Amino acid sequence: MRRLLLLLSWLFALGFSEPQRPVPRRDAEYPPPKTLAFLRPIGERCVKETGVTSSAIVRFSDADIFEDDRALKCYMECMFRLTNVTDDRGELHMLKLLEHVPPEYEEVALRMGVRCTRPKGKDLCERAFWYHKCWKLADPVHYYLV
């Protein structure tokens, strides 16, 4: 037991503690200002429609994934619906999504979405959340939610 404690102390001293969470990129160029300007009015409309709190949006975008907020999930679905990037089954159309992505970030968006092609969920809100969760797990540095 004593050896185990010594080993653990040594590992922590060398920096083998819990892995650091990636820091989301937030600067003057990212998220892209033109995309933010386009999405903000849509987001405001979806906030009114769903009742999601701004703190839930920021928490999911910049901190952690949490799955217990139905309003947040439906906010994500509303954003998809109003930007016309999903069909009536909640299937994402990547080419429609890329219309809203500046050319210099298309590769980032494609890398983020390459594994996120088969959504799961019992309804449109759950399916929208599945995409966002998948994208955030795939690239937490570049993922953002407006």
Side-chain angles (χ1 to χ4, degrees), residues 30-101:
Y30 198 88
K34 287 182 180 179
T35 304
L36 291 176
F38 168 73
L39 290 175
R40 278 196 180 110
I42 297 168
E44 290 170 6
R45 185 171 164 193
C46 290
V47 164
K48 287 178 186 171
E49 180 179 311
T50 63
V52 69
T53 63
S54 58
S55 61
I57 295 167
V58 171
R59 178 181 166 198
F60 190 91
S61 183
D62 296 353
D64 59 336
I65 294 172
F66 56 100
E67 302 191 24
D68 60 346
D69 191 328
R70 176 76 180 168
L72 177 67
K73 294 174 183 182
C74 291
Y75 171 82
M76 294 169 173
E77 186 279 326
C78 179
M79 294 291 288
F80 280 168
R81 181 171 25 89
L82 294 184
T83 54
N84 197 35
V85 297
T86 53
D87 63 21
D88 58 354
R89 294 180 323 274
E91 298 284 337
L92 182 83
H93 296 278
M94 194 62 172
L95 292 178
K96 287 184 178 182
L97 179 70
L98 287 174
E99 291 175 7
H100 304 295
V101 176

